[in-house]
Amino acid sequence: MNYLIIFITAVLVNNIVLSQFLGICPFLGISKRLDTAVGMSGAVAFVMVLATLITFLLQHYVLETLHIEYLQTIVFILVIAALVQLIEIMLKKSVPSLYQALGVFLPLITTNCTILGVAIMVIQKQMTLAESMVFAVATSFGFGLALILFAGIREQLALSEQPKAMEGTPIALITAGILAMAFMGFSGLVG
């Protein structure tokens, strides 16, 4: 039951983008097309789950053992950067169209604060390894859900008429705010 609560909370109640405001750069930047949003969601999910696993193990078996916990942020960033390079190489060889579509946003996963945020939250909340993995999967699912919903809405907005002053970023920010308010409705779901 605990894992289900962690999952629902991370996806709907405390959505990493819409409630905690982490990962806004890719949320606004990559959400213009649905296909790139799906690709970015998959890449972020892969990196987030692997990074959480590796950083959890490093924290508990290396940093705490050697009493060098103060290096946590630097070590976590290095792990995330290495994983992003691995993803970039894999996408370049196996799915070149997605690699081209993601463009500059793929290297930005390295600095995506959602991935680092999840790795640090897992340690701060003193989760077990299993809870950490559920949290990472759920958070990446929540990130993908928000990104894909927002991309779908933005594609529809591109087809509709808007006042000249509202085109582009203004309507995107208003839409993101409304989407965040919609997700606030889930706050009473888990108590």
Side-chain angles (χ1 to χ4, degrees), residues 65-126:
T65 304
L66 298 174
H67 304 291
I68 54 173
E69 295 92 347
Y70 57 89
L71 293 175
Q72 177 189 62
T73 305
I74 295 169
V75 170
F76 287 11
I77 289 171
L78 290 173
V79 167
I80 293 166
L83 287 172
V84 169
Q85 288 301 313
L86 177 70
I87 290 274
E88 194 169 356
I89 291 168
M90 286 173 34
L91 281 180
K92 197 175 204 178
K93 291 185 186 261
S94 61
V95 191
S97 60
L98 180 59
Y99 175 78
Q100 291 296 332
L102 290 175
V104 71
F105 291 101
L106 191 57
L108 285 178
I109 294 175
T110 304
T111 58
N112 188 340
C113 54
T114 58
I115 297 169
L116 181 61
V118 168
I120 292 173
M121 279 188 252
V122 160
I123 303 301
Q124 287 177 342
K125 293 180 180 183
Q126 298 178 345

Side-chain angles (χ1 to χ4, degrees), residues 129-159:
L129 182 59
E131 290 172 340
S132 300
M133 291 296 92
V134 170
F135 184 71
V137 168
T139 302
S140 64
F141 186 75
F143 177 82
L145 176 67
L147 189 63
I148 291 166
L149 282 173
F150 193 55
I153 293 169
R154 285 186 77 178
E155 281 188 354
Q156 287 297 316
L157 284 173
L159 300 174

Side-chain angles (χ1 to χ4, degrees), residues 18-77:
L18 300 173
S19 295
Q20 298 180 25
F21 307 111
L22 294 174
I24 297 296
C25 179
F27 180 71
L28 291 174
I30 210 78
S31 63
K32 292 178 183 167
R33 292 184 37 220
L34 196 56
D35 57 340
T36 55
V38 170
M40 180 63 129
S41 298
V44 167
F46 181 75
V47 172
M48 188 178 296
V49 171
L50 273 180
T52 303
L53 174 65
I54 293 169
T55 56
F56 181 91
L57 295 173
L58 282 173
Q59 175 72 25
H60 289 286
Y61 297 111
V62 177
L63 299 178
E64 289 177 4
T65 304
L66 298 174
H67 304 291
I68 54 173
E69 295 92 347
Y70 57 89
L71 293 175
Q72 177 189 62
T73 305
I74 295 169
V75 170
F76 287 11
I77 289 171

Side-chain angles (χ1 to χ4, degrees), residues 172-184:
L173 291 174
I174 290 169
T175 304
I178 293 170
L179 191 58
M181 287 179 9
F183 270 70
M184 283 178 58

